[in-house]
Amino acid sequence: EVQLVESGGGLVQSGGSLRLSCVASGFNLDDYTIAWFRQAPGKEREGVSCIDSSDGSTYDADSVKGRFTIFRANAGNTIYLQMNSLEPEDTAVYYCAADEHYTCSGAFHYGMDYWGKGTLVTVSS
């Protein structure tokens, strides 16, 4: 069974940091692109960062560039999203998603094959 399980969300003050984790199971992560998305209350879901597991290439949305970093440590089954300099505007439910055919190359694909259930990040001012 394919599963993506996010964790690491919580409440943090503006300027603080959080690291989100996405644990993948039931498929070979090497063959998939993983992306983080977020959805704030009353807003549409937006792409945040993605990583192509085959070559490690990444892409970040302009809104998080220089503050967020997506990475996979030691070829394991976990993708991380390191979030620094958090702002109240980053408050959202964060989802990780996986797709076998999407390439992380400058645009986000909202029809990803698999989705996690999300983890809530709240940034207070």
Side-chain angles (χ1 to χ4, degrees), residues 14-122:
S14 181
S17 298
L18 281 176
R19 178 176 291 184
L20 304 184
S21 301
C22 172
V23 178
S25 61
F27 63 98
N28 186 354
L29 194 56
D30 291 339
D31 297 331
Y32 283 72
T33 290
I34 303 295
W36 284 95
F37 295 79
R38 66 186 182 186
Q39 188 164 18
K43 295 188 177 181
E44 293 186 350
R45 189 169 295 188
E46 65 170 336
V48 175
S49 299
C50 62
I51 184 167
D52 188 328
S53 296
S54 65
D55 62 7
S57 60
T58 63
Y59 173 76
D60 300 311
D62 287 343
S63 59
V64 305
K65 202 164 291 185
R67 300 189 299 123
F68 291 11
T69 302
I70 187 171
F71 67 98
R72 179 186 180 190
N74 301 321
N77 66 337
T78 303
I79 299 292
Y80 300 93
L81 184 68
Q82 178 66 42
M83 307 187 296
N84 300 327
S85 301
L86 283 161
E87 304 166 352
E89 294 73 22
D90 295 316
T91 294
V93 177
Y94 283 71
Y95 302 88
C96 69
D99 195 281
E100 188 176 12
H101 301 293
Y102 160 61
T103 299
C104 182
S105 61
F108 290 99
H109 174 52
Y110 290 85
M112 303 284 279
D113 292 336
Y114 306 111
W115 292 83
K117 294 183 178 180
T119 185
L120 176 62
V121 172
T122 304

